[in-house]
């Protein structure tokens, strides 16, 4: 039997297109912004509907991607590492803090200009994965800067890294195991119940495994869509919302047969996933997480753009996955 649902509790996942905005213009001078400045401006353009929904009485838990151009920043002029790179669990914590700060700053500024009080908090979130997850033996997620073939061979020997790609631009591959438990779910729920807009699980969360001595970080990167769905189930949220760059999901996207989809049953969503109608690098993970959330007892999952958020909650926009 599924847990009772809170009709005012939403888990909202802010995707990369909604989070990052357009690429910044290069250079200096009037009208030109650095990557960091452009990113904050993009957040202030994407988040007003989230502030309005929170001000209207919804309790919002916001899961977000990472900030743009997350790179080591520790490389010397010769291209060799000037300092050892951070372990991926530490990098995930760094990404959460950086992106969470930006989101919190934007929310605070927007609340002030709109004359509403929307308290917020950033929760550094650990996500447990299974130590024997098969993904650890099949790294697939490309991360970091491109390396030459020689540099890739050297790093493979020195650090045991796996690489893929053309000889002139090889990328490191890391595992992407499935999340199975959000360790801070109880804290997040208490904050949400207190009316705090809670910013959490940035970049999918910090991946950890359980050991006899407690939890330990691992070299992996998590998919934020899967973490958002898992967290929404753990919190007994009524709805899971994915905010992305489109108002509505299309079947036959970018083809002459493209058509918008307003509603998908679980059976229809599974069939379209099997037919590869939803690309694995964009909409596909959102549909998969939506299916799992609704299967676990959620009322519905919605995919739409930030601008259409309130209309989607009222049933007037977006694509909804329902039982």
């Amino acid at each position: 039997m599924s847990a009772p649902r809170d009709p005012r509790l939403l888990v909202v996942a802010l995707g990369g297109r909604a989070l990052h905005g357009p690429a910044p213009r290069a250079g200096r001078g009037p009208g030109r912004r650095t990557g960091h400045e452009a990113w904050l401006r993009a957040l202030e353009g994407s988040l007003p509907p989230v502030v309005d929904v929170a001000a209207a009485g919804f309790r919002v838990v916001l899961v977000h991607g990472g900030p743009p151009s997350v790179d080591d920043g520790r490389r010397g002029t010769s291209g060799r590492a000037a300092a050892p790179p951070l372990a991926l669990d530490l990098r995930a914590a760094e990404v959460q803090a950086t992106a969470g700060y930006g989101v919190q700053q934007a929310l605070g500024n927007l609340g002030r200009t709109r004359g509403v009080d929307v308290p917020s908090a950033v929760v550094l979130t650990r996500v447990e994965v299974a130590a024997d997850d098969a993904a650890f033996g099949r790294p697939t997620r490309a991360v970091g800067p491109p390396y030459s073939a020689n540099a890739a061979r050297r790093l493979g020997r020195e650090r045991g890294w796996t690489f893929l790609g053309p000889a002139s631009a090889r990328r490191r591959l890391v595992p992407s195991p499935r999340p199975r438990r959000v360790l801070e779910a109880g804290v997040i729920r208490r904050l949400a119940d207190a009316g705090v807009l809670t910013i959490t699980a940035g970049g999918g969360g910090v991946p950890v495994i359980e050991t006899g001595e407690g939890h330990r970080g691992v070299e992996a990167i998590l998919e934020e869509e899967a973490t958002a769905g898992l967290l929404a189930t753990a919190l007994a949220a009524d709805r899971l919302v994915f905010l992305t760059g489109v108002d509505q999901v299309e079947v036959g996207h970018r083809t002459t047969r493209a058509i918008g989809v307003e509603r998908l049953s679980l059976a229809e969503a599974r069939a379209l996933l099997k037919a590869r109608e939803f690309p694995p690098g964009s909409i596909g993970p959102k549909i998969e997480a939506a299916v799992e959330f609704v299967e676990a007892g959620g009322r519905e999952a919605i995919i739409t753009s930030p601008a259409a958020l309130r209309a989607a909650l009222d049933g007037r926009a977006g694509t909804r996955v329902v039982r």
Side-chain angles (χ1 to χ4, degrees):
M1 186 175 179
S2 60
R5 300 279 154 173
D6 182 343
R8 305 297 285 179
L9 180 59
L10 309 174
V11 170
V12 178
L14 190 66
R17 290 186 182 180
L19 184 72
H20 296 169
R25 289 191 288 173
R28 297 284 179 182
R32 300 187 184 276
R33 301 189 181 106
T34 66
H36 176 73
E37 291 168 338
W39 173 50
L40 289 176
R41 288 283 180 258
L43 285 173
E44 291 179 358
S46 296
L47 290 173
V50 176
V51 173
D52 293 342
V53 162
F58 286 94
R59 289 188 283 279
V60 178
V61 174
L62 188 64
V63 177
H64 57 86
S69 302
V70 177
D71 194 9
D72 209 321
R74 296 170 174 82
R75 300 186 66 79
T77 56
S78 66
R80 295 181 67 89
L86 287 177
L88 289 178
D89 60 318
L90 296 179
R91 172 55 52 80
E94 184 179 68
V95 166
Q96 280 198 52
T98 302
Y101 156 73
V103 172
Q104 187 178 42
Q105 188 88 319
L107 288 170
N109 291 341
L110 288 166
R112 181 176 180 179
T113 58
R114 295 167 109 73
V116 296
D117 181 22
V118 181
S120 65
V122 181
V123 176
L124 189 65
T125 312
R126 297 168 297 161
V127 178
E128 184 182 287
V129 301
D132 60 355
D133 191 303
F136 285 110
R138 298 194 306 268
T140 57
R141 181 81 175 262
V143 299
Y147 292 87
S148 69
N150 287 338
R153 280 193 294 270
R154 174 174 55 80
L155 290 167
R157 289 192 306 269
E158 293 175 358
R159 297 178 183 152
W161 290 358
T162 300
F163 288 87
L164 183 69
S168 60
R170 299 183 70 78
R171 300 283 304 283
R172 181 188 176 191
L173 297 181
V174 300
S176 187
R178 287 191 59 77
R180 67 177 194 177
R181 186 160 69 104
V182 179
L183 299 187
E184 279 69 42
V187 173
I188 294 165
R189 180 62 198 247
R190 288 196 290 274
L191 283 168
D193 287 347
V196 177
L197 196 160
T198 310
I199 304 155
T200 183
V206 179
V208 299
I209 59 172
E210 187 173 19
T211 73
E213 299 176 347
H215 286 90
R216 175 174 61 82
V218 291
E219 289 281 284
I221 290 182
L222 305 179
E223 296 287 351
E224 57 253 30
E225 294 91 349
T227 297
L230 180 67
L231 179 60
T233 297
L235 298 179
D238 188 53
R239 287 184 278 186
L240 169 65
V241 183
F242 290 103
L243 298 183
T244 186
V246 295
D247 290 347
Q248 193 175 70
V249 172
E250 289 183 338
V251 171
H253 184 57
R254 292 182 177 174
T255 71
T256 56
R257 64 179 179 86
I259 183 170
V261 180
E262 293 182 3
R263 182 180 181 277
L264 288 171
S265 69
L266 290 177
E268 290 166 337
R270 289 193 204 97
L272 290 169
L273 281 167
K274 187 175 180 180
R276 301 185 66 82
E277 280 287 352
F278 303 125
S282 58
I283 293 296
K286 296 174 178 60
I287 297 291
E288 290 173 357
V291 167
E292 292 179 0
F293 170 69
V294 175
E295 281 182 330
R299 174 154 66 101
E300 64 181 5
I302 300 170
I303 302 173
T304 193
S305 66
L309 172 59
R310 186 55 200 255
L313 292 175
D314 293 340
R316 297 181 286 108
T319 297
R320 38 199 3 98
V321 176
V322 298
R323 185 169 295 278

